Amino acid sequence: MCGIVGFTGRTPALPFLVDGLRRMEYRGYDSAGVALVGGDPARIEVRRAVGKVDALAEALRADPPDESAACGIGHTRWATHGAPCVRNAHPHLSPDGRVAVVHNGIIDNFLDLRERLRAKGHEFRSDTDSEVVAHLVQECRGGSLIESVARALALVRGTYGIAVVSADEPGRIVVARRGSPVVVGTADGAAFVASDPAALAGRADRVAFLDDGDLALLEPGSFEVRSLAGEPVVREAAPLDFDPAAVEKGGYEHFMLKEIFEQPEALENCLRGRLLPDEGTAKLSGLRLGPREIAALSNVVLTACGTSYYAGLHGAYAFEQFAGIPARIEQAAEFRYRNPIVAPDTALVSLSQSGETADTLAAVREAKRKGALVLSVCNAVGSTIAREAGRGVYLHAGPEIGVASTKAFLCQVAALEMMALLFGRTRRLSGAEGAAIVRALASLPDLVRAVLAKNDAIARIAERHAGARDAFYIGRGYQYPAALEGALKLKEISYLHAEGYHAAELKHGPIALLDEKVPVVALAPRGPDRDKTLGNIQECRARNAPVVAIVTEGDADARAFTEDLVEVPPCPDFVAAVPVVVAEQLFAYHVARLRGEPIDKPRNLAKSVTVE
Ligand code: M6R
């Protein structure tokens, strides 16, 4: 995730900026940069580099800026709009080079703003949404910098944590927050800003966290907060009291847990601007598919590995249910070698969090050779699969650092359902049916929040099963891919042997393994399959297997068979896998924690599998 730092004082800013960026490296990023305001007359110098902060340090050595400059801002970028490259790295300059901006978040209306600015003669140097803010501040110039920034932000829709410097007001930094964290601080003769308190630890004596809608002016030794409308705002400053190492994970014990808790926000970012309630459909511009092209498709083949494969299986069900188009999922490693049948009217949907998985990439290349319409659903912007597919959907889930995929899975499910909805509205869904799906998708972040609130209860259930050696996960319909995903989560981080099965398949073999030492996690939220899965729970209990049941709130029937119930909020069956998988993630996490395993970096596993 992107990081912001800024410093203004009586000593050189650069050492703080580079050190602050290093302290945020744990968040994951793909490029870094700084802007320094100094000299007489004052000017702004920008240095940027792709890769680690070390690469930026090298760029600073190769082309040293005015190192005495006592005011500056810095950024680590995780690409969302535009590939990771120097021209897309922050800070971004206004056309006249007198304003520099660093930005976290997403400017929803940047396309519209960019067109309006182009019409006034502005030329853009990057593909980012953020650059538009630097141009707007120049365009809105008049009065002080903070007034110009306030006028510019009034035109912006979306989320931001932002820091702005101007050669016209050296020694000042203007910062603002809406939906993306900003903390400001002071120490003797200096003021700081960061998006993450880790960057201020041991530097600022006192800090204040901005609220959404706050705008602040930093000068050496002080800061002043006001509203966007210019009203004074009081934000109490307090000593910064924390262990920097703990803050690296945002206070969470593991990145995996942090990422599980980031899922509501990840889903919001994935859904933002893409759901059209009035039309009962979804807008996915990156697919570049019109109604005629969608109507001409004869089938959808999804391909992926691991967790992405399970999301794809869920997606295949949604394509058939919403769009009435034949859909199937293939393991990418099979697809690439078994000479599958694809035709020019086949849509091949490749799924990958990293966008670099070797087998998935090979499947994309094979499908292109065969003339299929190739689409990608990736998290990492500018990744090889996204680039080679050429058309697709980005998840905007933010970086995943834990090896176990969590938020990418949920966002893949959301992205595939939006795609299936779009296809469905072109082919057979009515506006009212589409609108109901839109409503269900819009509720996903809240469904996840409701399950996260049960973290402690799930931890207590995990305590009762952490000593097991084997486990089964069972489900039907949309809960079948969720069962496969739950078992994968448990085995990869806890090293407990776990298998996911269709609930009906249990009696065709695996039931022979059940006894009082083998827990079964049964996924039975309300829906067309709930009664049958309850029947399967009884079969498991008849073999003395302990059962953990994930059911809909208020569904008391399963209580007759087990005390270990996790309740998820009521929702349509095609989105119920989302809250269910969150419960599974927390269960796996707590089992692994209780067993003392290295959750973020399980043995033998890599985050990105770039070999066959
Ligand atoms: O980056 P990708 O989504 O292509 O990765 C695919 C699998 O390697 C990945 O999902 C893996 O199964 C995870 N460790 C699961 O948590």
Side-chain angles (χ1 to χ4, degrees):
M1 219 144 21
C2 304
I4 285 175
V5 289
F7 172 94
T8 181
R10 299 188 189 106
T11 55
L14 192 55
F16 167 80
L17 298 179
V18 173
D19 177 57
L21 294 178
R22 283 195 200 288
R23 293 185 194 196
M24 293 189 293
E25 286 194 296
Y26 76 94
R27 301 166 68 90
Y29 66 103
D30 47 51
S31 51
V34 293
L36 293 162
V37 193
D40 188 12
R43 65 194 185 104
I44 297 179
E45 287 185 281
V46 171
R47 299 288 182 276
R48 302 179 291 185
V50 172
K52 297 292 169 197
V53 177
D54 280 345
L56 173 65
E58 187 48 46
L60 287 161
R61 269 192 296 277
D63 181 14
D66 173 3
E67 289 183 11
S68 68
C71 177
I73 53 178
H75 192 261
T76 46
R77 171 176 190 252
W78 194 83
T80 58
H81 294 65
C85 58
V86 170
R87 72 190 168 82
N88 286 337
H90 299 214
H92 291 289
L93 285 171
S94 58
D96 64 5
R98 301 202 56 82
V99 172
V101 168
V102 289
H103 164 235
N104 292 351
I106 295 175
I107 308 294
D108 293 339
N109 61 336
F110 87 99
L111 285 174
D112 178 41
L113 292 170
R114 199 166 62 182
E115 284 321 302
R116 280 157 57 184
L117 288 161
R118 274 191 179 136
K120 293 183 173 184
H122 287 245
E123 285 178 18
F124 287 81
R125 305 179 188 102
S126 79
D127 308 317
T128 66
D129 54 335
S130 309
E131 187 187 356
V132 87
V133 181
H135 289 240
L136 278 180
V137 174
Q138 177 184 317
E139 194 63 28
C140 295
R141 185 174 288 149
S144 63
L145 176 62
I146 194 167
E147 288 163 351
S148 311
V149 173
R151 277 195 293 276
L153 292 180
L155 302 171
V156 162
R157 282 203 322 270
T159 55
Y160 51 76
I162 216 160
V164 186
V165 290
S166 166
D168 298 329
E169 295 189 28
R172 287 184 168 166
I173 305 175
V174 173
V175 303
R177 174 195 160 128
R178 187 199 285 161
S180 194
V182 175
V183 55
V184 294
T186 51
D188 190 23
F192 311 87
V193 58
S195 54
D196 183 329
L200 303 190
R203 300 297 201 125
D205 296 335
R206 300 177 73 77
V207 300
F209 291 84
L210 298 193
D211 279 352
D212 282 350
D214 285 354
L215 195 63
L217 175 66
L218 278 57
E219 294 179 294
S222 69
F223 64 82
E224 161 205 322
V225 186
R226 57 174 82 166
S227 69
L228 271 182
E231 303 293 327
V233 172
V234 178
R235 297 276 168 241
E236 290 302 331
L240 189 54
D241 173 24
F242 61 75
D243 167 8
V247 167
E248 283 196 349
K249 296 185 181 112
Y252 291 95
E253 202 177 336
H254 297 97
F255 285 113
M256 182 184 176
L257 189 61
K258 174 170 174 274
E259 287 160 12
I260 290 172
F261 273 82
E262 282 172 355
Q263 291 180 120
E265 188 191 342
L267 282 165
E268 277 162 4
N269 288 338
C270 181
L271 298 169
R272 179 173 294 116
R274 290 171 165 172
L275 294 177
L276 304 179
D278 293 342
E279 295 160 49
T281 188
K283 186 177 81 182
L284 298 166
S285 321
L287 295 180
R288 292 190 279 113
L289 287 179
R292 274 169 177 274
E293 287 156 291
I294 293 173
L297 292 169
S298 71
N299 66 111
V300 176
V301 177
L302 301 104
T303 191
C305 302
T307 283
S308 296
Y309 172 86
Y310 299 142
L313 180 55
H314 180 111
Y317 289 2
F319 274 110
E320 295 206 341
Q321 182 181 343
F322 297 175
I325 186 168
R328 67 174 208 271
I329 172 92
E330 286 230 24
Q331 279 165 353
E334 273 298 283
F335 186 94
R336 66 183 292 189
Y337 289 124
R338 73 165 195 87
N339 199 16
I341 297 168
V342 290
D345 56 1
T346 297
L348 185 286
V349 182
S350 56
L351 298 147
S352 176
Q353 187 285 131
S354 62
E356 304 295 345
T357 299
D359 283 324
T360 312
L361 177 58
V364 163
R365 290 176 177 161
E366 180 62 13
K368 284 184 101 169
R369 265 190 293 271
K370 288 186 149 65
L373 172 77
V374 177
L375 308 169
S376 71
V377 177
C378 289
N379 195 33
V381 173
S383 55
T384 312
I385 291 171
R387 279 187 281 111
E388 293 207 8
R391 308 167 178 228
V393 177
Y394 281 121
L395 299 178
H396 299 313
E400 268 188 354
I401 297 170
V403 163
S405 187
T406 51
K407 53 187 179 174
F409 176 87
L410 262 54
C411 291
Q412 283 167 337
V413 165
L416 289 172
E417 293 214 338
M418 286 191 282
M419 222 189 257
L421 168 62
L422 172 67
F423 281 32
R425 281 290 282 131
T426 310
R427 299 168 72 95
R428 69 167 185 182
L429 285 179
S430 70
E433 289 166 329
I437 295 170
V438 166
R439 280 196 298 280
L441 289 172
S443 75
L444 289 178
D446 284 341
L447 293 177
V448 173
R449 284 188 187 97
V451 182
L452 294 176
K454 298 178 193 292
N455 181 37
D456 292 346
I458 295 171
R460 284 193 292 278
I461 295 174
E463 276 171 26
R464 294 196 276 280
H465 301 283
R469 280 185 43 199
D470 306 283
F472 285 94
Y473 282 68
I474 57 169
R476 292 163 176 264
Y478 285 104
Q479 298 305 323
Y480 171 49
L484 299 174
E485 170 60 4
L488 176 61
K489 280 298 83 91
L490 188 67
K491 76 182 106 182
E492 72 178 324
I493 60 168
S494 75
Y495 308 153
L496 211 148
H497 169 239
E499 299 294 340
Y501 275 93
H502 192 281
E505 278 290 311
L506 208 61
K507 61 171 84 64
H508 296 288
I511 202 164
L513 296 171
L514 295 189
D515 63 22
E516 67 285 351
K517 296 202 189 80
V518 181
V520 176
V521 180
L523 315 180
R526 279 201 199 284
D529 303 307
R530 174 260 189 201
D531 292 353
K532 290 193 189 308
T533 308
L534 277 193
N536 299 125
I537 290 176
Q538 293 173 58
E539 289 164 5
C540 298
R541 290 298 298 128
R543 274 84 189 166
N544 294 322
V547 167
V548 177
I550 304 182
V551 300
T552 301
E553 274 164 20
D555 185 349
D557 291 352
R559 211 168 273 288
F561 311 110
T562 177
E563 288 295 295
D564 289 340
L565 285 183
V566 182
E567 293 187 325
V568 297
C571 57
D573 69 319
F574 58 83
V575 290
V578 166
V580 165
V581 166
V582 177
E584 293 178 328
Q585 293 166 346
L586 289 170
F587 179 73
Y589 171 81
H590 288 297
V591 169
R593 179 181 57 79
L594 292 160
R595 292 167 75 99
E597 303 301 355
I599 289 173
D600 287 329
K601 291 196 166 101
R603 68 184 175 213
N604 306 338
L605 293 178
K607 185 65 188 160
S608 179
V609 183
T610 52
V611 291
E612 289 192 50

